[in-house]
């Protein structure tokens, strides 16, 4: 018997990033809203048709978004702060104002906070409730509209939306009221949505509840039970639609019994990251409920081993019976690229190991049909996994095995280094700097493309980069920044740039993945053991330093971030891959120091990304190797060399002591969208590292005023000793325009000078 199949979500940015480019044109007022919406329709139609052609039985709708699904849910249920709803703008422009901020004739508002979506590199917009928020289902019903749109194409879909518990769990509450105060209105709104979906012809509706894989205490469980007891009762009274509770990114060990007892028609469990999902199901599963079993990895790009997956399915079926099982992706395929087709630069004997979103659809179909159902599929897959894919590099293996405890400890201790560095650099109070990158302007991208395509000589390209660096350094000196950067004009991406200069990596042409909004990344693939080919950044860092007497930071990406923002190997542990990367980056750090670079920034923007979602699992390995991997990179530098690092768009309060243990000299944080809440965490932890909480949000198009930066710095100096406080934007400036960058940095420097004078 063949199993039915399902997908938890599909990529939406476009195979060639069509939606990204349409969004950016719309933001520049180059296309109309009708043209933007037409691009959206094309993206949705493409995804639906690919899934139907692959034979997927449960195809999701409403997984598309112009910016973020959680923000979509907030707007659908009228959870829109008044500062956005009051703007004299169209509905979609109010939506974008909440996502990106707005500064123009209609007003000046900052964007809502943005955070990492669980343990992925996707970012969600944090909804905000105020005491005046009155949740209610909007008449502009995106979920119904997209269901109807798919139906008009002859495709029956499963409409999906973030569940009420996850929506409330991930939101902020700006007034006195808390989550429970909005529960009744939200439950009624969700019930109305389900009834409307039923009226439109939907047989199922899916409520995505990834927050259930987090640690839950009895209060959390009670709140979840009360929400869904009321919601299911109201839905049952008014419709016959079936309800799927969909979870992913882990198992639901804390609330499994609650979920099983509530009477859902379907329950979606993750059997890839959910280490206990199988044992939970074997313990017992509700009789009249369908299990949507997430068995195909929705976050990595390696082919599934059909034998392993078939064995897992057999174990599940032994407890449930095959008729109660739907095979699914472990999470939305939003986190992988569209397809390997067109990746003609990758050799066929290598590409056969990869499965992007469209290939995963085929995997689901083939696994669902079983060894007998698809001619040759299981046999071909078995041959793929029959032999070792790569061989270990002896030099790399020896280097790892030779590491000792001393390789992870920098001497002298932090406070002695701080004393030495204060004398070496003699920086003023509130020293100013940027995070690293400057705008990647049209001429930068055009010349890089010419050079990459062989239409520009290396000498000509190098001359162009030299000119850009010279201009960048001159500008920073002119406005009065204290610690400069070279601008990173030679770099396409903070991970791909380094991966391309390391042995062990494979690169794609079009394997783009959405990070947030219109922002996409193209993660490289770790194929084999990693080591450095030759110096990677020394040339341009040294050139920049020669243009000024002020210190210029050498700019590197740290090993944990390179690992987390790559598609990692699955045949060796993440720890081993991190240490290999750390040794390669350590070589670069020591070469920069040897060539006179006195400040070196080693970005670990993604440190928290792979931290287990449950605190009880934190000490099962991740922090025990992630923090030492960073220390390995810089432990051998001289005390006079100042080590910086940077982290962004995550919640750090609960690992603040681990971050301090990284033993950097200076750390810059994203803090502006989080309303500087990290300041209390730093103060409470007696944080020793010098720190630069970002004073303005670079992911918003608005320019911060001098007064608001001064206010932020005053707030910071009330929690952080002035001698330890740096002034900087909250992230790199690569995606920003030149005008706003110039104005923002001038205001930043002006604010620092005001604080010094006071």
């Amino acid at each position: 018997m063949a199993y039915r199949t399902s997908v938890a979500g599909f990529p939406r940015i476009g195979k060639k990033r069509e939606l990204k480019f349409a969004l950016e044109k719309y933001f520049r007022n180059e296309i109309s809203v009708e043209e933007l919406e037409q691009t959206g329709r094309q993206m949705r139609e493409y995804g639906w048709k690919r899934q139907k052609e692959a034979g997927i039985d449960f195809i999701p709708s409403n997984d598309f978004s112009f910016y973020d699904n959680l923000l979509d849910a907030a707007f659908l249920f009228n959870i829109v702060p008044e500062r956005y709803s009051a703007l004299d703008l169209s509905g979609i422009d109010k939506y974008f104002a909440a996502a990106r901020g707005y500064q123009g004739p209609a007003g000046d508002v900052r964007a809502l906070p943005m955070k990492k979506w669980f343990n992925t590199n996707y970012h969600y917009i944090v909804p905000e409730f105020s005491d005046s928020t009155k949740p209610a289902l909007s008449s502009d019903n995106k979920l119904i509209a997209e269901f109807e749109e798919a139906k008009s194409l002859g495709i029956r879909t499963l409409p999906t939306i973030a569940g009420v518990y996850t929506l409330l769990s991930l939101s902020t509450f700006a007034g006195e009221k808390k989550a429970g105060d909005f529960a009744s209105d939200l439950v009624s709104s969700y019930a109305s949505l389900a009834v409307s979906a039923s009226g439109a012809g939907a047989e199922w509706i899916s409520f995505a509840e990834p927050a259930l894989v987090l640690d839950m205490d009895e209060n959390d469980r009670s709140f979840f039970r009360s929400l869904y007891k009321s919601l299911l009762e109201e839905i049952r009274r008014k419709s016959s639609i079936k309800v799927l509770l969909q979870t992913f990114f882990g198992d639901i060990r804390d609330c499994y019994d609650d979920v099983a007892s509530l009477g859902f028609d379907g329950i979606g469990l993750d059997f890839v990251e959910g280490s206990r999902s199988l044992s939970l199901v074997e313990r017992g599963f509700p009789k009249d409920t369908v299990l949507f079993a997430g068995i195909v990895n929705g976050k990595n790009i390696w082919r599934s081993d059909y034998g392993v997956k078939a064995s897992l399915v057999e174990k599940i079926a032994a407890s449930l019976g095959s008729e109660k099982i739907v095979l699914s992706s472990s999470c939305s395929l939003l986190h992988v690229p569209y397809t390997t087709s067109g990746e003609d630069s990758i050799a066929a004997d290598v590409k056969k190991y990869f499965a992007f979103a469209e290939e995963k659809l085929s995997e689901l179909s083939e696994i669902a049909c079983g060894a007998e159902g698809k001619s040759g599929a299981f046999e071909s897959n078995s041959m793929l996994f029959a032999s070792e894919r790569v061989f270990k590099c002896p030099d790399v293996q020896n280097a790892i095995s030779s590491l000792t405890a001393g390789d992870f400890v920098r001497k002298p201790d932090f406070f002695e280094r701080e004393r030495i560095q204060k004398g070496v650099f003699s920086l003023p109070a509130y020293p100013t700097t940027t995070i690293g990158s400057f705008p990647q302007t049209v001429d930068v991208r055009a010349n890089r493309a010419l050079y990459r395509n062989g239409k520009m000589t290396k000498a000509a390209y190098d001359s162009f980069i030299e000119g850009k660096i010279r201009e960048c350094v001159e500008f920073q000196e002119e406005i009065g920044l204290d610690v400069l950067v070279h601008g990173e004009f030679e770099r396409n991406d903070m991970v791909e740039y380094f991966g391309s200069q390391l042995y062990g990596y494979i690169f794609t042409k079009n394997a783009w993945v959405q990070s947030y909004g219109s922002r996409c990344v193209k993660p490289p693939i770790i194929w084999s053991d990693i080591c450095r080919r030759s110096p990677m950044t020394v040339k341009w860092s040294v050139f920049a330093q020669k243009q000024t007497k002020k210190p210029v930071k050498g700019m590197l990406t740290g090993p944990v971030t390179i690992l987390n923002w790559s598609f990692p190997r699955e045949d060796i542990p993440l720890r081993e891959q991190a240490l290999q990367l750390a040794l390669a980056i350590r070589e670069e750090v020591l070469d920069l120091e040897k060539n006179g670079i006195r400040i070196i920034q080693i970005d670990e923007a993604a440190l928290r990304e792979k931290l287990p979602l449950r605190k009880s699992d934190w000490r099962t390995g991740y922090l025990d190797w992630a923090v030492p991997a960073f220390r390995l990179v810089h432990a051998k530098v001289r005390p006079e060399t100042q080590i910086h690092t940077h982290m962004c768009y995550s919640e750090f309060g609960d690992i603040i002591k681990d971050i301090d243990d990284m033993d950097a000299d200076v750390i810059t944080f994203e803090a502006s969208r989080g309303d500087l809440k990290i300041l209390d965490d730093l103060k409470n932890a007696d944080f020793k590292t010098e720190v630069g909480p970002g004073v303005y949000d670079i992911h918003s198009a608005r320019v911060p005023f001098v007064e608001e930066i001064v206010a932020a710095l005053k707030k910071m100096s009330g929690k952080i000793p002035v001698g330890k406080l740096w002034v900087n934007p909250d992230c790199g400036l690569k995606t920003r325009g030149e005008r706003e960058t110039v104005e923002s940095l001038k205001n930043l420097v002006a604010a620092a000078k005001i604080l010094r004078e006071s």
Side-chain angles (χ1 to χ4, degrees):
M1 170 184 171
Y3 293 91
R4 291 175 293 171
T5 55
S6 172
V7 172
F10 198 74
R12 60 196 183 218
I13 205 70
K15 282 177 66 176
K16 297 182 179 179
R17 293 178 292 163
E18 294 92 337
L19 181 60
K20 166 191 169 64
F21 298 126
L23 281 166
E24 291 172 352
K25 286 180 180 179
Y26 183 75
F27 297 153
R28 297 193 298 265
N29 298 313
E30 294 174 3
I31 63 172
S32 66
V33 67
E34 291 78 16
E35 291 172 293
L36 176 62
E37 289 174 343
Q38 175 60 24
T39 301
R41 284 191 291 272
Q42 292 169 352
M43 300 303 98
R44 293 190 291 270
E45 180 177 350
Y46 179 88
W48 289 329
K49 287 186 173 179
R50 295 293 80 73
Q51 293 172 78
K52 184 176 182 180
E53 291 166 0
I56 301 301
D57 297 293
F58 292 88
I59 298 171
S61 58
N62 198 46
D63 55 334
F64 173 85
S65 178
F66 279 119
Y67 209 94
D68 172 58
N69 290 122
L70 202 63
L71 184 64
D72 293 348
F75 268 68
L76 179 61
F77 295 123
N78 193 38
I79 306 165
V80 183
E82 187 177 356
R83 60 188 179 276
Y84 305 115
S85 60
L87 293 170
D88 185 18
L89 297 171
S90 67
I92 194 169
D93 287 334
K94 291 178 182 179
Y95 171 86
F96 286 134
R100 307 175 64 243
Y102 175 85
Q103 194 170 50
D108 183 2
V109 292
R110 300 185 189 185
L112 287 169
M114 185 165 68
K115 293 183 180 179
K116 288 289 181 73
W117 181 244
F118 294 85
N119 55 2
T120 75
N121 189 29
Y122 178 77
H123 305 67
Y124 71 95
I125 303 298
V126 181
E128 178 188 304
F129 288 77
S130 70
D131 286 350
S132 62
T133 301
K134 184 69 174 175
L137 184 61
S138 170
S139 58
D140 183 14
N141 196 321
K142 176 180 177 292
L143 180 142
I144 301 300
E146 293 184 10
F147 176 80
E148 296 276 15
E149 183 182 325
K151 192 165 66 170
S152 71
L153 298 170
I155 301 173
R156 180 73 62 175
T157 59
L158 167 59
T160 181
I161 189 169
V164 59
Y165 179 79
T166 292
L167 175 59
L168 287 169
S169 297
L170 299 186
S171 295
T172 58
F173 299 88
E176 297 298 319
K177 292 182 178 179
K178 301 303 178 187
D181 297 309
F182 302 98
S184 179
D185 286 339
L186 258 184
V187 163
S188 294
S189 300
Y190 269 86
S192 296
L193 178 65
V195 172
S196 297
S198 179
E203 297 176 7
W204 287 78
I205 188 167
S206 174
F207 296 133
E209 290 287 9
L212 297 182
V213 308
L214 303 174
D215 289 313
M216 296 176 69
D217 59 24
E218 180 51 41
N219 289 332
D220 298 321
R221 292 175 55 199
S222 177
F223 186 46
F224 165 73
R225 288 194 303 268
S226 67
L227 288 171
Y228 273 98
K229 183 176 185 295
S230 299
L231 177 54
L232 290 172
E233 287 176 354
E234 194 165 345
I235 291 174
R236 300 286 188 252
R237 284 200 307 268
K238 299 177 181 179
S239 78
S240 59
I241 195 168
K242 296 178 180 179
V243 178
L244 166 64
L245 183 86
Q246 179 67 61
T247 68
F248 31 81
F249 304 139
D251 60 63
I252 58 170
R253 67 188 73 163
D254 291 345
C255 64
Y256 179 77
D257 291 337
D258 303 303
V259 170
S261 67
L262 281 165
F264 291 102
D265 301 286
I267 298 173
L269 301 179
D270 180 351
F271 287 84
V272 174
E273 292 188 276
S275 61
R276 299 192 190 178
S277 292
L278 179 59
S279 62
L280 291 172
V281 168
E282 290 176 333
R283 195 176 76 196
F285 192 78
K287 180 180 178 182
D288 298 319
T289 303
V290 177
L291 173 65
F292 286 68
I295 64 165
V296 169
N297 194 337
K299 289 170 57 177
N300 211 346
I301 47 76
W302 299 93
R303 282 277 180 189
S304 299
D305 185 330
Y306 287 4
V308 171
K309 299 301 180 184
S311 176
L312 172 61
V313 173
E314 287 177 7
K315 292 176 182 177
I316 299 170
S319 299
L320 275 69
S322 57
E323 72 283 352
K324 294 177 60 178
I325 299 172
V326 175
L327 303 186
S328 181
S329 58
S330 66
C331 62
S332 172
L333 301 181
L334 169 72
H335 308 292
V336 294
Y338 272 82
T339 177
T340 62
S341 65
E343 296 293 346
D344 46 25
S345 62
I346 302 177
D349 63 340
V350 172
K351 189 163 63 174
K352 66 184 180 182
Y353 286 95
F354 305 141
F356 297 172
E358 293 184 28
E359 289 72 37
K360 290 180 186 294
L361 301 178
S362 298
E363 288 193 320
L364 277 169
S365 177
E366 290 169 353
I367 295 168
C369 288
E372 305 301 325
K374 288 281 186 178
S375 177
F378 266 69
E379 182 180 353
S380 298
N381 184 267
S382 177
M383 292 175 63
L384 190 68
F385 286 89
S387 59
E388 189 172 0
R389 179 178 58 80
V390 296
F391 296 98
K392 297 182 182 296
C393 173
D395 290 344
V396 173
Q397 296 297 312
N398 290 337
I400 296 292
S401 62
S402 300
L403 291 172
T404 66
D407 290 308
F408 299 89
V409 179
R410 188 177 176 196
K411 295 181 179 180
D413 67 18
F414 171 85
F415 298 103
E416 177 62 14
R417 298 198 312 267
E418 186 178 40
R419 184 191 65 78
I420 292 170
Q421 291 166 15
K422 294 287 187 188
V424 169
F425 295 107
S426 299
L427 295 170
Y430 301 98
T432 55
T433 188
T434 66
I435 303 304
S437 58
F438 266 64
Q440 295 271 311
T441 50
V442 173
D443 61 331
V444 171
R445 294 194 299 270
N447 280 274
R448 183 185 298 134
L450 289 172
Y451 176 60
R452 184 177 60 243
N453 296 328
K455 297 179 179 179
M456 175 183 274
T457 65
K458 185 177 188 306
Y461 182 66
D462 285 356
S463 178
F464 168 76
I465 296 297
E466 287 179 356
K468 296 298 293 187
I469 293 174
R470 194 178 291 112
E471 291 174 8
C472 184
V473 171
E474 288 174 357
F475 164 70
Q476 293 172 86
E477 284 200 311
E478 177 186 330
I479 66 171
L481 283 167
D482 300 305
V483 175
L484 314 186
V485 297
H486 77 284
E488 302 180 20
F489 302 105
E490 79 285 5
R491 304 185 189 184
N492 51 356
D493 176 82
M494 63 182 292
V495 173
E496 185 172 354
Y497 178 78
F498 290 95
S500 65
Q501 300 180 79
L502 298 170
Y503 289 110
Y505 265 96
I506 286 177
F507 299 90
T508 61
K509 290 168 58 177
N510 295 302
W512 296 98
V513 177
Q514 186 179 17
S515 180
Y516 65 88
S518 64
R519 171 69 172 158
C520 300
V521 294
K522 187 155 61 70
I525 300 167
I526 301 179
W527 174 257
S528 62
D529 286 352
I530 296 165
C531 60
R532 192 179 70 151
R533 298 175 186 269
S534 59
M536 301 179 283
T537 66
V538 174
K539 173 182 176 180
W540 298 121
S541 295
V542 169
F543 176 82
Q545 186 62 77
K546 288 180 178 178
Q547 313 306 310
T548 179
K549 293 182 179 179
K550 289 186 174 182
V552 176
K553 290 191 286 189
M555 302 299 304
L556 304 173
T557 305
V560 179
T561 295
I562 294 179
L563 174 64
N564 287 345
W565 287 356
S566 301
F567 289 121
R569 294 168 65 178
E570 293 183 339
D571 60 325
I572 64 172
L574 292 174
R575 174 187 179 277
E576 185 173 342
Q577 296 172 73
L579 291 178
Q580 290 180 10
L581 285 161
L583 288 173
I585 301 301
R586 181 175 74 171
E587 292 181 31
E588 189 71 13
V589 167
L590 296 177
D591 270 351
L592 284 168
E593 183 183 64
K594 184 171 64 178
N595 282 275
I597 304 303
R598 298 176 294 160
I599 298 180
I600 302 170
Q601 182 170 309
I602 308 163
D603 287 341
E604 284 293 14
L607 177 76
R608 191 190 170 103
E609 193 167 297
K610 293 297 185 290
L611 184 71
L613 294 174
R614 293 179 176 278
K615 292 183 179 180
S616 55
D617 293 337
W618 282 5
R619 295 302 169 186
T620 58
Y622 181 75
L623 288 173
D624 291 339
W625 58 257
V627 170
F630 181 85
R631 294 173 66 114
L632 177 61
V633 169
H634 68 83
K636 299 300 181 183
V637 301
R638 298 191 299 267
E640 296 83 3
T641 299
Q642 191 172 77
I643 297 296
H644 290 222
T645 190
H646 172 69
M647 297 179 185
C648 60
Y649 291 102
S650 284
E651 297 179 66
F652 298 111
D654 45 13
I655 59 167
I656 205 72
K657 291 186 180 296
D658 298 283
I659 293 173
D660 218 9
D661 193 44
M662 292 167 68
D663 205 24
D665 299 306
V666 179
I667 181 167
T668 52
F669 285 104
E670 179 280 321
S672 58
R673 279 205 180 189
D675 196 29
L676 302 176
K677 292 179 181 177
I678 196 171
L679 299 179
D680 290 327
D681 298 319
L682 296 172
K683 182 177 181 179
N684 293 338
D686 196 20
F687 198 70
K688 71 175 187 293
T689 312
E690 295 186 17
V691 62
V695 296
Y696 77 90
D697 173 24
I698 70 91
H699 295 83
S700 175
R702 66 184 298 276
V703 174
F705 297 111
V706 172
E707 294 78 9
E708 68 186 74
I709 299 177
V710 168
L713 288 172
K714 286 182 177 179
K715 186 174 181 180
M716 293 176 188
S717 60
K719 303 288 179 70
I720 300 170
V722 171
K724 288 183 175 288
L725 182 58
W726 287 65
V727 183
N728 46 263
D730 69 356
C731 204
L733 302 167
K734 176 181 178 180
T735 61
R736 297 270 50 91
E738 287 187 281
R739 180 198 62 80
E740 63 196 73
T741 296
V742 168
E743 293 180 14
S744 298
L745 290 180
K746 285 182 177 178
N747 289 352
L748 180 149
V749 172
K753 289 180 178 178
I754 289 172
L755 267 293
R756 290 171 192 165
E757 292 169 359
S758 67

